[in-house]
Structure formats: structure tokens, C-alpha cells
Amino acid sequence: MTLPTDNAHRVASRGWPFRPSVFFLVLIVGIGSCGGPAADDRTSAPSGAVPAGIEACTPTDQGRYVYRPARLQTLAQCIRVIGTVMGSSTEADGDIHINVRLDDAYRGVLTPGNEFEDGDLIVEPVCQVAPPQADAIRICASDPAPLERVPRVGDHVWLEGRYVLDLQHHAWAELHPLYRWDVARP
């Protein structure tokens, strides 16, 4: 195919020259950027992901026992928050799903997605019960030291865990896994 030598190859509405190589390069880059985060992006934190005043902490080995970790975007390896346990339930992957109403000083870690959980932070200690979900059994069986106990409804606690966004649940904020916790002293 031969391109015309006159101005017929210009885009009529803008007067831009049509250059096939530039057009296809822009098209490829544009399509690539629309595909969502790559798996590698899920392990890095966006700039400013942890609000000021939130303490960092030291992770434990529990991160190795998270079921399907690719669904979680890590914002910080370990943070500490304080709040009150509002509810909990067991999950098919062996985790316990705990809703924590954060004290005002810690509410900055929440995202709009947490509104789907009554504005609570989701906290998940992993492998706390024998998972009925077949593909989670092996992962939990390899966990030599899950937490010995978990917070109860009504407890006012401090919690330390990996700060993540659950990309399959409205990108709500979680501590997943929970590394350690105890009753918060006034």
C-alpha cells in the first residue's frame, strides 16, 4: 500500500500527520496500561500508602501462609493499629475474618472499600481453623505456628500485621496476615 504524497494522509479534524509507527506504538502502550496492576505491582507500596503517625513493626513468618497472596496488594510489610473488635467469622481458607473499628488516630489506613464492611478494618489471622477449602489445606498444614489465640468481640486491642488492599473485595484495607496482638492498655 502506498501512502498519498499530498495532505490527504493528515487527520482532517486536527491536521496531524498520520505516522503508522507512532500510531501503533501509542496504541500498544495505551492498551498495556489499561490491563490493571501486574502481579509484581502488588508487592510494592504506592507513595504515601501509610498515613503519617502509623507505626511500623517487624513481620513474622505468617506471610508465607496466606492463601492466594496475588489477590492482595501490599502497602506496608507491618503496621500497628489500635481498635475494638466488632465481629468475627471463620473463612473457608482457614483464616478468621475480624472486623475492627479503629480508634480515630488510625482511621487513615481505611479506604472507601472498607465502607462495605461498616467502615471497619479487616484483620485476618491465617490458618486458625482447619480449612474445608481443598486448595487451602496444604498451605495451612505447613504452618508450624499459627497464632495461639485471636481477639474476641468487644476486645480493645493493638494489632500488628501486613497492611494490604484486598483487590477482590472492593480494595478494602486489611491487616493480612495478623502477626501479633494484645489487649490495648489505656
Side-chain angles (χ1 to χ4, degrees), residues 52-99:
I54 301 298
E55 285 183 59
C57 51
T58 304
T60 67
D61 71 341
Q62 288 299 287
R64 291 188 285 198
Y65 308 105
V66 172
Y67 170 72
R68 291 190 324 143
R71 74 190 193 282
L72 305 173
Q73 179 184 3
T74 300
L75 301 179
Q77 288 301 316
C78 189
I79 65 168
R80 175 186 272 233
V81 297
I82 298 175
T84 302
V85 177
M86 304 305 290
S88 71
S89 60
T90 58
E91 299 288 320
D93 62 1
D95 298 356
I96 295 182
H97 181 105
I98 301 171
N99 289 61

Side-chain angles (χ1 to χ4, degrees), residues 14 39 71-72 94 102 115 141:
R14 303 270 187 192
R71 74 190 193 282
L72 305 173
L102 293 175
E115 289 303 316

Side-chain angles (χ1 to χ4, degrees), residues 97-128:
H97 181 105
I98 301 171
N99 289 61
V100 177
R101 178 71 35 91
L102 293 175
D103 290 2
D104 289 342
Y106 301 93
R107 293 191 61 75
V109 302
L110 300 173
T111 70
N114 289 92
E115 289 303 316
F116 288 93
E117 289 290 318
D118 296 324
D120 295 337
L121 178 69
I122 304 309
V123 177
E124 293 204 27
V126 297
C127 298
Q128 294 299 298

Side-chain angles (χ1 to χ4, degrees), residues 30 35 40 49 53 63 66 74 87 89 113 148 152 158 171 173 177-179 184:
D40 291 342
V66 172
T74 300
S89 60
E148 292 180 16
R152 296 181 313 229
W158 60 262
L178 175 64
Y179 294 133

Side-chain angles (χ1 to χ4, degrees), residues 13-39:
S13 65
R14 303 270 187 192
W16 294 338
F18 178 77
R19 293 189 178 113
S21 59
V22 173
F23 172 78
F24 289 113
L25 178 62
V26 169
L27 180 64
I28 290 169
V29 169
I31 290 171
S33 68
C34 293

